[in-house]
Amino acid sequence: MPTASTGHHCSHLIMDLMRAQTRSRKTLTAPAPFADETSCHCQAPHERLTIAQARLGTPVDRPVRVYADGIFDLFHSGHARALMQAKTLFPNSYLLVGVCSDDLTHKFKGFTVMNEAERYEALRHCRYVDEVIRDAPWTLTPEFLEKHKIDFVAHDDIPYSSAGSDDVYKHIKEAGMFVPTQRTEGISTSDIITRIVRDYDVYARRNLQRGYTAKELNVSFINEKKYRFQNQVDKMKEKVKNVEERSKEFVNRVEEKSHDLIQKWEEKSREFIGNFLELFGPDGAWKQMFQERSSRMLQALSPKQSPVSSPTRSRSPSRSPSPTFSWLPSKTSPPSSPKAASASISSMSEGDEDEK
């Protein structure tokens, strides 16, 4: 049977779990707090863990406190990936991120693009960060580790020589508190600055075009005029390019339409020629129709011959006999000689005179 002490222990576990979930939700919905504005959430006495213990998992109220530090200038994906690795090193971890101040950074590393306040804020809004420590030390001391109850320090394994030391993490590694992370190749703050310096003219012209003054960009009067002239030239080139592209599009459309028109014309021409040949060709419908009409006209114009064997029709008494013309030559055989022909002609002329 469960005892009162067992129930009391379970209630403590539930409360610890709720507090952990609340901290997790707060990390994702609000910026991470600064270390000097909050207190350590560890309720149990702090005893430093071994890597084996941390990997097995710890109670909800005793997360593994992992520390990562850096400059984090021009915060980029390489920084975020390193912090993600530090956060996911152990099943239950609490990530503290130390950011060095401008004074320390300028002294040991060099000038930064972003000031310390901007770098602090950039870290606060990274989803993997649970707490930000401002003005972090360049070299970690036992007092600092004890103050923030740090179990492990996460950083890439490359020796970091600085401040008169071959590796500022050497004593951390010797104490068994160092956990390595992997660098992201192809991206770094130095790479980004190199790109800007290499293409300085491009970015100077870009910002002049966006309304920045030459004084703000620390650009001389001559360079300002040069950049503005180059901007005008680029605008003209862009306009010419746009006109060329539009002209090409117009020509392509005309070619397509011309091709379509030619195809349609060829189709219509073939159709017209086919219809013409069907109508007027050697075996066309027009020739057949003309032949039919010609045969009908010939039949209509030519008299019909009566059959030989048909009986002679008797004349009706009401009809008068057809008049005979005595002056017409009788159907006799042609004259056998020229003399006979002349005699017949003279007789015809005499007959005409008698009638007169």
Side-chain angles (χ1 to χ4, degrees), residues 149-170:
K149 299 180 180 180
I150 296 171
D151 293 308
F152 299 100
V153 176
H155 200 275
D156 62 81
D157 203 17
I158 301 173
Y160 194 85
S161 58
S162 180
S165 174
D166 295 335
D167 188 1
V168 295
Y169 298 105
K170 183 178 179 180

Tab-separated table of all heavy atoms in Angstrom, residues 149-170:
chain	number	residue	atom	x	y	z
A	149	LYS	N	27.095	27.024	-10.894
A	149	LYS	CA	26.836	25.596	-10.745
A	149	LYS	C	26.925	24.868	-12.088
A	149	LYS	O	26.000	24.154	-12.508
A	149	LYS	CB	25.463	25.369	-10.107
A	149	LYS	CG	25.348	25.992	-8.712
A	149	LYS	CD	23.985	25.755	-8.112
A	149	LYS	CE	23.897	26.396	-6.729
A	149	LYS	NZ	22.577	26.194	-6.088
A	150	ILE	N	28.010	25.076	-12.775
A	150	ILE	CA	28.206	24.530	-14.115
A	150	ILE	C	28.751	23.114	-13.999
A	150	ILE	O	29.728	22.854	-13.285
A	150	ILE	CB	29.166	25.432	-14.925
A	150	ILE	CG1	28.519	26.804	-15.130
A	150	ILE	CG2	29.526	24.789	-16.253
A	150	ILE	CD1	29.449	27.843	-15.713
A	151	ASP	N	28.123	22.186	-14.737
A	151	ASP	CA	28.584	20.800	-14.767
A	151	ASP	C	29.579	20.552	-15.900
A	151	ASP	O	30.585	19.871	-15.705
A	151	ASP	CB	27.395	19.852	-14.928
A	151	ASP	CG	26.481	19.856	-13.713
A	151	ASP	OD1	27.004	19.663	-12.598
A	151	ASP	OD2	25.264	20.052	-13.882
A	152	PHE	N	29.263	21.085	-17.085
A	152	PHE	CA	30.104	20.832	-18.251
A	152	PHE	C	30.212	22.102	-19.098
A	152	PHE	O	29.314	22.956	-19.085
A	152	PHE	CB	29.538	19.699	-19.117
A	152	PHE	CG	29.451	18.385	-18.383
A	152	PHE	CD1	28.232	17.953	-17.858
A	152	PHE	CD2	30.572	17.590	-18.218
A	152	PHE	CE1	28.146	16.752	-17.180
A	152	PHE	CE2	30.495	16.392	-17.536
A	152	PHE	CZ	29.281	15.965	-17.014
A	153	VAL	N	31.309	22.179	-19.848
A	153	VAL	CA	31.555	23.288	-20.763
A	153	VAL	C	31.583	22.714	-22.185
A	153	VAL	O	32.320	21.759	-22.464
A	153	VAL	CB	32.883	24.001	-20.447
A	153	VAL	CG1	33.163	25.096	-21.471
A	153	VAL	CG2	32.855	24.565	-19.034
A	154	ALA	N	30.792	23.291	-23.066
A	154	ALA	CA	30.697	22.818	-24.453
A	154	ALA	C	31.372	23.814	-25.384
A	154	ALA	O	31.106	25.018	-25.328
A	154	ALA	CB	29.228	22.639	-24.844
A	155	HIS	N	32.244	23.291	-26.248
A	155	HIS	CA	32.936	24.107	-27.243
A	155	HIS	C	33.554	23.161	-28.260
A	155	HIS	O	33.684	21.956	-27.993
A	155	HIS	CB	34.012	24.978	-26.584
A	155	HIS	CG	34.426	26.156	-27.395
A	155	HIS	ND1	35.390	26.099	-28.371
A	155	HIS	CD2	34.001	27.455	-27.365
A	155	HIS	CE1	35.543	27.294	-28.910
A	155	HIS	NE2	34.695	28.148	-28.316
A	156	ASP	N	33.922	23.702	-29.423
A	156	ASP	CA	34.596	22.823	-30.381
A	156	ASP	C	35.979	22.435	-29.846
A	156	ASP	O	36.569	23.152	-29.030
A	156	ASP	CB	34.705	23.507	-31.746
A	156	ASP	CG	35.529	24.774	-31.714
A	156	ASP	OD1	36.763	24.680	-31.742
A	156	ASP	OD2	34.913	25.871	-31.642
A	157	ASP	N	36.482	21.317	-30.307
A	157	ASP	CA	37.677	20.704	-29.718
A	157	ASP	C	38.979	21.319	-30.206
A	157	ASP	O	40.058	20.913	-29.778
A	157	ASP	CB	37.662	19.198	-30.015
A	157	ASP	CG	38.510	18.424	-29.023
A	157	ASP	OD1	38.818	18.994	-27.966
A	157	ASP	OD2	38.874	17.266	-29.321
A	158	ILE	N	38.922	22.283	-31.112
A	158	ILE	CA	40.148	22.904	-31.628
A	158	ILE	C	40.766	23.760	-30.525
A	158	ILE	O	40.064	24.572	-29.898
A	158	ILE	CB	39.838	23.769	-32.865
A	158	ILE	CG1	39.205	22.905	-33.957
A	158	ILE	CG2	41.099	24.455	-33.389
A	158	ILE	CD1	38.715	23.683	-35.152
A	159	PRO	N	42.066	23.597	-30.231
A	159	PRO	CA	42.705	24.428	-29.183
A	159	PRO	C	42.557	25.903	-29.480
A	159	PRO	O	42.824	26.367	-30.591
A	159	PRO	CB	44.175	23.985	-29.236
A	159	PRO	CG	44.129	22.613	-29.803
A	159	PRO	CD	42.997	22.595	-30.794
A	160	TYR	N	42.092	26.650	-28.474
A	160	TYR	CA	41.827	28.086	-28.623
A	160	TYR	C	42.923	28.843	-27.879
A	160	TYR	O	42.862	29.019	-26.658
A	160	TYR	CB	40.444	28.417	-28.063
A	160	TYR	CG	39.930	29.772	-28.465
A	160	TYR	CD1	39.266	29.950	-29.665
A	160	TYR	CD2	40.113	30.869	-27.630
A	160	TYR	CE1	38.790	31.200	-30.026
A	160	TYR	CE2	39.640	32.116	-27.985
A	160	TYR	CZ	38.983	32.276	-29.195
A	160	TYR	OH	38.523	33.506	-29.557
A	161	SER	N	43.903	29.277	-28.648
A	161	SER	CA	45.043	29.985	-28.036
A	161	SER	C	44.712	31.465	-27.900
A	161	SER	O	44.363	32.136	-28.882
A	161	SER	CB	46.305	29.800	-28.887
A	161	SER	OG	46.090	30.267	-30.195
A	162	SER	N	44.818	31.981	-26.698
A	162	SER	CA	44.515	33.384	-26.439
A	162	SER	C	44.946	33.719	-25.018
A	162	SER	O	45.085	32.837	-24.163
A	162	SER	CB	43.016	33.659	-26.617
A	162	SER	OG	42.719	35.000	-26.375
A	163	ALA	N	45.147	35.008	-24.784
A	163	ALA	CA	45.487	35.522	-23.449
A	163	ALA	C	46.712	34.827	-22.876
A	163	ALA	O	46.755	34.495	-21.686
A	163	ALA	CB	44.293	35.379	-22.515
A	164	GLY	N	47.713	34.584	-23.722
A	164	GLY	CA	48.960	33.970	-23.276
A	164	GLY	C	48.869	32.488	-23.014
A	164	GLY	O	49.788	31.911	-22.409
A	165	SER	N	47.808	31.822	-23.446
A	165	SER	CA	47.634	30.388	-23.235
A	165	SER	C	47.495	29.684	-24.570
A	165	SER	O	46.891	30.228	-25.509
A	165	SER	CB	46.403	30.114	-22.365
A	165	SER	OG	46.158	28.733	-22.261
A	166	ASP	N	48.066	28.467	-24.633
A	166	ASP	CA	47.915	27.678	-25.862
A	166	ASP	C	46.484	27.197	-26.056
A	166	ASP	O	46.038	27.002	-27.181
A	166	ASP	CB	48.859	26.465	-25.823
A	166	ASP	CG	50.329	26.883	-25.834
A	166	ASP	OD1	50.607	27.987	-26.340
A	166	ASP	OD2	51.173	26.109	-25.334
A	167	ASP	N	45.777	27.007	-24.972
A	167	ASP	CA	44.381	26.566	-25.037
A	167	ASP	C	43.695	27.027	-23.752
A	167	ASP	O	43.986	26.551	-22.661
A	167	ASP	CB	44.306	25.043	-25.176
A	167	ASP	CG	42.889	24.559	-25.440
A	167	ASP	OD1	41.977	25.412	-25.539
A	167	ASP	OD2	42.693	23.332	-25.553
A	168	VAL	N	42.724	27.963	-23.907
A	168	VAL	CA	42.053	28.515	-22.725
A	168	VAL	C	41.150	27.479	-22.055
A	168	VAL	O	40.712	27.693	-20.907
A	168	VAL	CB	41.232	29.773	-23.106
A	168	VAL	CG1	42.145	30.893	-23.560
A	168	VAL	CG2	40.193	29.441	-24.163
A	169	TYR	N	40.867	26.367	-22.721
A	169	TYR	CA	40.020	25.322	-22.144
A	169	TYR	C	40.847	24.125	-21.646
A	169	TYR	O	40.262	23.075	-21.322
A	169	TYR	CB	38.990	24.830	-23.185
A	169	TYR	CG	38.037	25.906	-23.647
A	169	TYR	CD1	38.173	26.488	-24.905
A	169	TYR	CD2	36.997	26.341	-22.831
A	169	TYR	CE1	37.303	27.476	-25.337
A	169	TYR	CE2	36.124	27.330	-23.244
A	169	TYR	CZ	36.285	27.886	-24.502
A	169	TYR	OH	35.418	28.873	-24.911
A	170	LYS	N	42.144	24.305	-21.568
A	170	LYS	CA	43.009	23.183	-21.182
A	170	LYS	C	42.667	22.670	-19.778
A	170	LYS	O	42.521	21.452	-19.566
A	170	LYS	CB	44.472	23.627	-21.245
A	170	LYS	CG	45.455	22.516	-20.928
A	170	LYS	CD	46.889	23.015	-21.056
A	170	LYS	CE	47.872	21.898	-20.718
A	170	LYS	NZ	49.293	22.365	-20.839
